[in-house]
Amino acid sequence: MASKARRLSATQVSYTFSPATEPKYHVESGDTLIVETPDCFGGVIESEQDTHDVLDLERVNGAVGPIYIEGANPGDCLKVKIRSVRVTGGTGVMMTIPGFGLLRESLKIGKTKICRISKNRIVFKDGVKVPLSPMIGTIGVAPELETVSTITPGAHGGNLDTRDVKAGSSVYFPVFVKGALLGLGDCHAAMGDGEVCVTGVEVPAQVTLKVDVIHGFKLLRPIIETEDEWMTLGSAATLEEAARLATQDMLDIVKRKLGMGDEEAYMLLSAAGDLRISQVVNPYTTVRMAVSKNHLKSII
Ligand code: CA
Ligand code: CA
């Protein structure tokens, strides 16, 4: 690793994204960071007998940070290039929690499952293995004014639970406050679109990422760049509103980059844009609108 790599410890976590929280780390634009992230339970689940009863719900989903990025100012964009997400430890934890999850009206019992992880597979149970597909569940910056729990996603990012936030992808965040105040945690060994029961396969991880400030590039909400797609992300109280935000953001990009008017851009998204559900449980939902790089080379 280059000498600029900075190591950030899993002990420095915050449970909110807030302009008021004192930064725990200061880094430069262009730095590579190696971040040790705790699992979303803070590592307190040691056996399948430990259910939601042992959790302090005010102290779950800790995000390592806040990380102050020198030179980031309101109106800039923070690009976070994810180099790797390495699951540390040999197990992942899943949980059902009464009152949470998409089927909370019918499924009300809290249970814990601990899955062994071996050879790029998660052993869900005998004969049922899920491919390892590590991702970052929670990553965001401080909102302009509010203090937001790390459980709730929004324009600042946060608990986006979007499978494409993974190695090889970049996430672009609006910068609302000086230093941006980045935080991340809540990694999953795997998660399905929707995250219907309210947990992925929750793991501690070592995340390597590079941060870069793009001056004067203003965003309203986070954007993901994967190897072959661009994705705008909307988070809102309903799926329909989240879908509307993601679609409007992508429509604006298509108009600006491809020189189309409203109706033509709208039709292109209808022909070649994909709306995908990220998660439906946080309790705001997150939806992404994806467009191939064949159509959209760049958004900047
Ligand atoms: Ca999450
Ligand atoms: Ca999680």
Side-chain angles (χ1 to χ4, degrees), residues 125-192:
K125 63 188 297 180
D126 284 350
V128 183
K129 296 192 175 89
V130 176
L132 189 66
S133 185
M135 55 165 279
I136 304 169
T138 299
I139 182 166
V141 295
E144 184 182 0
L145 299 169
E146 305 166 274
T147 292
V148 179
S149 160
T150 52
I151 293 175
T152 307
H156 67 290
N159 199 8
L160 295 167
D161 285 322
T162 298
R163 294 198 295 152
D164 302 288
V165 183
K166 63 181 183 182
S169 294
S170 294
V171 190
Y172 298 74
F173 295 98
V175 175
F176 297 110
V177 301
K178 218 169 156 43
L181 305 184
L182 177 71
L184 66 144
D186 177 34
C187 288
H188 301 155
M191 189 198 94

Side-chain angles (χ1 to χ4, degrees), residues 187-269:
C187 288
H188 301 155
M191 189 198 94
D193 277 338
E195 202 192 23
V196 292
C197 96
V198 83
T199 60
V201 181
E202 307 290 340
V203 289
Q206 184 186 72
V207 178
T208 302
L209 47 80
K210 182 169 180 286
V211 291
D212 282 289
V213 177
I214 304 174
H215 294 290
F217 182 60
K218 190 167 185 177
L219 294 179
L220 294 176
R221 280 169 281 275
I223 292 174
I224 298 173
E225 177 184 9
T226 68
E227 194 181 337
D228 43 23
E229 289 181 317
W230 290 98
M231 300 171 179
T232 48
L233 295 174
S235 297
T238 66
L239 272 176
E240 188 173 358
E241 180 57 17
R244 192 177 294 127
L245 292 173
T247 302
Q248 183 68 58
D249 285 356
M250 188 60 87
L251 184 110
D252 291 341
I253 292 169
V254 166
K255 283 170 60 182
R256 177 167 54 80
K257 295 303 292 185
L258 301 184
M260 294 183 184
D262 277 314
E263 292 74 21
E264 201 174 17
Y266 201 14
M267 286 188 271
L268 179 64
L269 294 189

Side-chain angles (χ1 to χ4, degrees), residues 14-79:
S14 177
Y15 299 97
T16 59
F17 288 98
S18 169
T21 309
E22 209 47 45
K24 301 281 188 3
Y25 299 98
H26 286 76
V27 306
E28 304 280 338
S29 178
D31 276 359
T32 296
L33 314 181
I34 301 171
V35 186
E36 305 288 342
T37 59
D39 76 15
C40 71
F41 308 112
V44 303
I45 304 298
E46 294 178 337
S47 81
E48 294 188 343
Q49 278 63 57
D50 292 337
T51 67
H52 63 282
D53 287 334
V54 308
L55 299 176
D56 174 354
L57 290 180
E58 300 293 309
R59 296 178 70 81
V60 295
N61 226 43
V64 176
I67 306 164
Y68 185 104
I69 293 103
E70 299 289 348
N73 285 298
D76 292 339
C77 163
L78 179 66
K79 177 182 179 182

